[in-house]
Amino acid sequence: MTQPPPPPQQPPQGGGFGPPQDQPPQTPPPAAGPDLGKSPQPGYGYPQAPQAPQAPQTPPPAAPQNPPQPPAGYGYPQGAPAPQTPQTPQTPPGYGYPGQQPGPYGQPQQAPYGQPGYGQPGYGQPGYGQQPGYGYPQQAMPHPPQAGQPGGGKKFNAQMLIIVAAVVAIALIIGGGVWYASSGKDEGKQNDTAGQSGGTGGTDDGNGGTASGKEKAPSDPSAKVLFQVPAPEVKNDSTVVVSGSWLTDKAYVKSGIARIVGYDRDKGGELWKIPLAGPVCQASRHVTDDNLTAVLYQPAMPTKADPSHGCSQIALIDLDAGKRLWTKTVKTGDQLINFDNITLSGKTVAVGSTSGGAAFDVSGKLLWSPKPADSCYDAGYGGGDKLVAVRKCGSYDQRQLHIQTIDPKSGKVISEYKMTEGIEYASIVSTNPLVVAADVGDSAGDGSGISDFFSIDGKTGKLRTRISAPGEQFAARCEGITRVEACNLLAVGNDRLYLPTEEHDGTGKYSQTNEIVAFDLATGKQTGQRADAGDGYTISPLRMDGGNLIAYKRPPYDKGGQIVSISGAGFKETTLLQNPATDAVRDVETSMSPEYSEFLYADGHLFMSKVYASKRSTVRDKEYLAVGFGTS
């Protein structure tokens, strides 16, 4: 979401900030963005061709004296569209054999596992499942925005935005802008989920009021830089995954290259370090009540001769003690299974892949593993309050996804919703309430992986409502190809779905802004609630805090970012944290974005971190793996 370049008086990019570091400075790799002359890529995270390094920023070209502005009331509720008719799913005839009731999870199906279509061309098509970087075997790599570009990640760069601004504004006037419908009465339902990373949580009193959150506004929200973690050194012109970050009441924990490190969350000193045999592939965003989490990693460090050893190692991590409690693997025959995703629900660690899914209790006991006779396979799981499987059945040209809520202890299927045939990928946005995202018919057209959201009753498996979310209007993203929980820029709570709109013209010259709007998960209609980012800012949901929404405001060129709490009932906004506006701090802050980085906020602490580390191309600027901010 790229914003206009800074004015000419802004000084050149600085070389970092904070105490001197031992490592040489460097410059982040150039951003990769969509080629407007090509057709849309087939999904979020599809590797893009890197752009040529940008020349030093210059002032934007002169604009017309009276540039076109959005129509009055842009972003406010318009007339409600005709309500969609929810699909009425057929009552499943049973799990497995016709007429059979759902039974033990992973029960053998009629056709043999590996029937024609399984693993055939289509899954792992060019761009997916290919080696996008040294040490990263299975997942396409989204390219982060270039450092120093406020609002990075938008589908148009700043220069193109300036050129087409007038055309876009006219089109918005003609088309009525982004469609904001109002459902009139707020029809929130009871939601018993607890707040968790990933967006679910919050309770509703039935009258539009919501339970208060834990995050309280400080007397002074002004923040300072607590510490920064230098980017790790990467060899051989490679890219290595460093996915995974967690926040406890004592530590900020971050994956490095073949290690996981706990830092004092106020001072940044290392509290503990867990070495791993190889790089982390994936990390669960969920944590148990006693601060246990899980990761996938490679069994050895990649080399030029052998750039990947597969993501076969499943580990349980104690974030308090700083220990790896156990490491497990799963085999099919005599071959180790390489897994694509990992999650945690209650005391169950679940992993999914094209070879099927498996699960372990936190004690290390195997709960289930792929059945050779299955005609379906668990591509992945969503965790948190519930455990939900995305189970793929049928051949490639007749694929059908089964969204199954399962008992995390026994694996028994509790409910099942069968998506329309032809939908190849789906993402679990929330498990309680159950919300699934999909790009139906590849119609999103923007690489976001989302054209529609499906609100499903987790107890019965029936579709509650389907919400259309056109890619040109809303900015949420889901990968869904191999990582079924990889969704960001959205949140679920209060029986509502919170989405950010795409950026549009603000009131200032060349400024951009956006809003967060809410959808009722029972009716599919917008509630009429709207949170404005403010001119020059872009706002993104991070997570729920009880009934409140925690959001990040990415700043314009001359200000620092903010963390705000938005009340679930009245959408009243409260500033929880305000980052410094100095050039050095802002440059580092805007080198990370909610689209391509990990953001964690709690108790007046904000941590931003990268999910990829790459070889430094220059030594002019310092690059950081993570940075922490905090209020007094």
Side-chain angles (χ1 to χ4, degrees), residues 119-503:
Q120 297 299 320
Y123 190 88
Q125 57 188 306
Y128 296 120
Q130 294 188 353
Q131 178 79 13
Y134 175 73
Y136 191 40
Q138 297 182 348
Q139 174 189 331
M141 180 184 72
H143 295 273
Q146 185 166 345
Q149 289 290 337
K154 186 172 174 62
K155 300 167 184 65
F156 302 94
N157 60 30
Q159 292 80 2
M160 181 60 70
L161 180 62
I162 293 170
I163 294 172
V164 303
V167 176
V168 171
I170 293 171
L172 288 173
I173 293 171
I174 295 173
V178 176
W179 186 265
Y180 294 91
S182 173
S183 64
K185 181 181 178 181
D186 187 345
E187 300 179 7
K189 304 295 183 182
Q190 180 69 29
N191 176 7
D192 61 359
T193 59
Q196 62 187 34
S197 176
T200 65
T203 57
D204 193 326
D205 64 9
N207 297 309
T210 55
S212 60
K214 296 180 180 179
E215 307 295 347
K216 305 301 180 184
S219 57
D220 182 4
S222 299
K224 63 180 181 180
V225 177
L226 298 176
F227 63 91
Q228 58 277 343
V229 179
E233 183 177 0
V234 179
K235 301 177 180 179
N236 302 321
D237 296 315
S238 58
T239 298
V240 181
V241 177
V242 288
S243 176
S245 58
W246 305 268
L247 187 58
T248 73
D249 57 355
K250 296 180 180 179
Y252 169 67
V253 183
K254 176 61 186 168
S255 294
I257 297 180
R259 65 178 188 169
I260 299 173
V261 182
Y263 301 92
D264 182 293
R265 68 179 201 170
D266 291 308
K267 300 178 181 179
E270 287 192 8
L271 301 176
W272 48 260
K273 183 188 304 181
I274 301 173
L276 300 173
V280 170
C281 302
Q282 297 294 331
S284 172
R285 66 176 63 182
H286 305 292
V287 177
T288 65
D289 293 338
D290 50 352
N291 285 333
L292 304 181
T293 194
V295 299
L296 280 172
Y297 68 95
Q298 295 189 49
M301 288 300 295
T303 63
K304 280 189 174 181
D306 194 355
S308 173
H309 298 282
C311 297
S312 58
Q313 310 296 299
I314 307 162
L316 186 72
I317 306 297
D318 186 329
L319 298 175
D320 287 335
K323 295 181 179 179
R324 181 178 51 175
L325 301 181
W326 49 253
T327 296
K328 301 291 182 180
T329 59
V330 181
K331 289 185 177 181
T332 176
D334 58 354
Q335 296 294 318
L336 287 177
I337 296 177
N338 293 320
F339 292 99
D340 299 321
N341 55 77
I342 187 167
T343 195
L344 191 151
S345 179
K347 299 294 185 180
T348 297
V349 176
V351 286
S353 74
T354 56
S355 297
F360 293 85
D361 184 83
V362 292
S363 66
K365 176 185 176 182
L366 179 66
L367 299 177
W368 65 80
S369 60
K371 299 281 193 280
D374 277 359
S375 62
C376 303
Y377 66 92
D378 289 355
Y381 302 92
D385 279 356
K386 307 289 183 181
L387 186 61
V388 176
V390 176
R391 190 166 176 83
K392 293 193 173 186
C393 298
S395 60
Y396 171 70
D397 57 349
Q398 291 182 319
R399 182 81 72 208
Q400 186 172 43
L401 303 183
H402 297 212
I403 309 301
Q404 299 175 333
T405 298
I406 60 180
D407 184 324
K409 295 180 180 179
S410 67
K412 180 181 178 181
V413 177
I414 297 171
S415 68
E416 178 178 72
Y417 172 71
K418 295 182 180 179
M419 302 192 76
T420 304
E421 285 190 11
I423 299 177
E424 181 68 12
Y425 306 108
S427 299
I428 305 297
V429 176
S430 167
T431 60
N432 187 20
L434 179 52
V435 180
V436 174
D439 186 359
V440 180
D442 297 324
S443 58
D446 63 346
S448 67
I450 304 170
S451 66
D452 296 86
F453 291 92
F454 298 80
S455 174
I456 301 167
D457 188 318
K459 294 181 179 179
T460 66
K462 294 183 179 180
L463 183 69
R464 300 175 67 196
T465 191
R466 177 171 169 175
I467 299 170
S468 175
E472 70 273 13
Q473 296 181 16
F474 300 100
R477 291 179 174 272
C478 289
E479 192 229 72
I481 307 302
T482 58
R483 301 180 300 156
V484 301
E485 273 191 311
C487 294
N488 59 4
L489 308 183
L490 78 177
V492 173
N494 306 315
D495 210 33
R496 295 176 178 87
L497 169 67
Y498 299 101
L499 297 179
T501 68
E502 285 288 359
E503 293 181 31

Side-chain angles (χ1 to χ4, degrees), residues 553-566:
K553 286 188 174 183
R554 188 173 174 86
Y557 71 90
D558 58 348
K559 293 182 173 63
Q562 297 178 350
I563 292 292
V564 297
S565 176
I566 302 169

